Amino acid sequence: MTHKNSFARLVLFIVIGLLIGGILGECLGLLFGQLGQLMNAGGYDNIVRNFFVSSFDLNIGTGKGETPIMLDLYMVKLALGFGIKFNIVSIIGMIISIYIMKWSGDR
């Protein structure tokens, strides 16, 4: 990889795309939930809203019914856990950000 396409730059663009896409997906879910209520189309539990808000969770050490991973060093106890939440729009945002990264930079 060249300097302008370094691994750190790729990770930065992926994270930014996921964040913007996740926020946009939640906003669209709220908008379509309100529209579903106004138009008597199932309220907040309509198909379009559920498409944008449904997420895929990846939890390591945290989550429903799980206790965090404990690291006991006698004087210090650490609880470790990690979670990622993807929705459809965040994945689309990630793809768009990778495309922008590919075409950005000096030519």
Side-chain angles (χ1 to χ4, degrees):
M1 287 189 166
T2 63
H3 176 67
K4 71 177 185 175
N5 290 328
S6 66
F7 181 72
R9 186 169 180 235
L10 175 67
V11 170
L12 178 69
F13 270 85
I14 287 173
V15 168
I16 289 173
L18 287 172
L19 287 173
I20 292 173
I23 293 169
L24 185 61
E26 292 292 325
C27 291
L28 286 173
L30 182 65
L31 175 71
F32 287 124
Q34 291 286 333
L35 285 175
Q37 264 189 336
L38 290 174
M39 299 174 65
N40 293 327
Y44 270 91
D45 193 28
N46 60 47
I47 296 172
V48 177
R49 180 197 172 273
N50 291 340
F51 176 75
F52 285 108
V53 177
S54 64
S55 62
F56 312 103
D57 294 330
L58 172 65
N59 294 313
I60 300 171
T62 61
K64 298 176 182 160
E66 291 184 36
T67 59
I69 299 169
M70 295 296 293
L71 180 62
D72 190 0
L73 301 174
Y74 185 67
M75 296 208 40
V76 177
K77 290 183 181 181
L78 298 173
L80 304 172
F82 182 73
I84 299 175
K85 179 180 175 182
F86 295 106
N87 62 17
I88 300 298
V89 183
S90 66
I91 293 171
I92 293 170
M94 179 185 66
I95 292 168
I96 290 172
S97 68
I98 291 172
Y99 182 76
I100 290 172
M101 185 196 88
K102 179 181 174 186
W103 295 107
S104 67
D106 296 300
R107 291 199 168 251

